[in-house]
Amino acid sequence: MNASNTKAYLFDLNGTMIDDMHYHIQAWHEILCSHGAELSLAAVKQQCYGKNDELLERIFPGRFSAAEKTAMSYAKEEAYQAAFKPQLKLLDGLGDYLEAAKLQGIRMAIGSAAIMFNIDFVLDNLHIRHYFDALVSADDVLNSKPDPETYLKCAAALQVAPPNCVVYEDSPKGVESAERAGMSSVVLLTLHEVHEFAQFEKVLCHVPDYKGLALQ
C-alpha cells in the first residue's frame, strides 16, 4: 500500500494509543482472583481480549448474571482508571502523528473492545476527541476482535473502503481482525513481540511508538 491509497486510519486504543495494558492486566488479576480464580498475571494477559463480559464468561462460565458482569466490569474499569490516570499520556510521537494526519485530510476512527466509559476517559483527559470522525466501542458490535466487525464498522462510518484503511494495533487478535477486514496494519510493540505477528501478511511495520513513523 502506498500513501496515495490510504484514506483512513483506524486506531485500537489500549496499548496502541496509550501504554496501559499492564494496568488492565493488574486490575483484572485482582478482581478475578477476588472471585476465586487462581490465575497468574501471565495467564490473565492471555485472556485480555474481547469484551469484558466475554472475558468474565471465559473465566467463570455460567456463574454470573449479565447485571453482575456489568457491575464487575465497571468495578474493574474504575480500578484501572484510578491506577493509570497519573501516568495517562499518548504514546511518544502520537500527538504529532494525529495532527499531521488531520492536516493531510486523512479520516480517523477508534475501534476498540473497550466500553465507552474507558474511551471517554482517554479522549477527554487527553483532549484529542476532535481528531476522530467515528468511535466504535464494545457496545457497538456483536462480535469482538478477532472478528472483523469492529474495523468494518469503522470503515463504514467513515465511508472509506476497507482496502484504503490502515489499522494501528498492539495485539495479534487485533491484527487478525484487521486482516479479516481486508486492511493493512501498523503494529505497536507495547505488550507483544515481533514474532507473535509472524503469521500475518498485511503488517506494514512494527514500531515501539510513533516517533519518526511516516504517515502510512
Side-chain angles (χ1 to χ4, degrees):
M1 173 178 288
N2 59 56
S4 64
N5 294 328
T6 304
K7 298 179 180 179
Y9 291 170
L10 314 181
F11 292 87
D12 175 52
L13 181 67
N14 307 108
T16 299
M17 296 180 64
I18 54 175
D19 189 4
D20 64 339
M21 285 306 300
H22 295 287
Y23 291 86
H24 284 284
I25 292 165
Q26 183 63 47
W28 270 127
H29 185 258
E30 291 175 4
I31 198 165
L32 294 172
C33 290
S34 74
H35 286 86
E38 297 181 359
L39 295 171
S40 66
L41 281 171
V44 173
K45 173 184 173 181
Q46 296 303 313
Q47 294 295 332
C48 280
Y49 65 90
K51 301 180 183 182
N52 287 353
D53 59 344
E54 293 171 343
L55 183 153
L56 288 166
E57 192 62 25
R58 286 195 297 271
I59 304 299
F60 302 114
R63 177 172 166 184
F64 297 109
S65 68
E68 288 171 326
K69 285 185 283 190
T70 296
M72 292 167 68
S73 174
Y74 275 91
K76 175 262 170 182
E77 302 306 0
E78 287 170 347
Y80 147 75
Q81 290 185 11
F84 182 62
K85 189 173 182 180
Q87 285 75 43
L88 176 61
K89 66 182 182 69
L90 292 175
L91 286 183
D92 288 349
L94 179 54
D96 290 340
Y97 197 78
L98 294 173
E99 184 65 22
K102 193 76 169 179
L103 290 173
Q104 290 279 344
I106 295 170
R107 307 203 76 202
M108 290 182 280
I110 290 175
S112 173
I115 59 176
M116 280 304 304
F117 181 63
N118 271 359
I119 295 175
D120 289 338
F121 166 71
V122 175
L123 296 185
D124 293 336
N125 280 291
L126 295 178
H127 311 292
I128 57 171
R129 188 179 294 272
H130 62 285
Y131 288 115
F132 299 99
D133 302 294
L135 306 173
V136 177
S137 74
D139 305 320
D140 300 314
V141 298
L142 293 175
N143 302 300
S144 299
K145 303 172 190 176
D147 189 276
E149 182 181 359
T150 294
Y151 288 125
L152 290 174
K153 283 203 166 183
C154 285
L158 298 180
Q159 298 183 309
V160 174
N164 299 125
C165 298
V166 172
V167 169
Y168 295 76
E169 264 287 354
D170 71 306
S171 74
K173 289 190 183 294
V175 172
E176 180 182 345
S177 173
E179 292 217 346
R180 290 172 64 186
M183 303 172 184
S184 299
S185 299
V186 171
V187 173
L188 280 300
L189 297 172
T190 54
L191 187 65
H192 295 274
E193 299 178 2
V194 171
H195 69 86
E196 296 178 72
F197 301 90
Q199 70 270 37
F200 302 113
E201 299 179 352
K202 295 172 72 66
V203 172
L204 299 173
C205 58
H206 309 80
V207 293
D209 53 42
Y210 296 83
K211 288 188 299 184
L213 181 64
L215 295 181
Q216 300 300 305

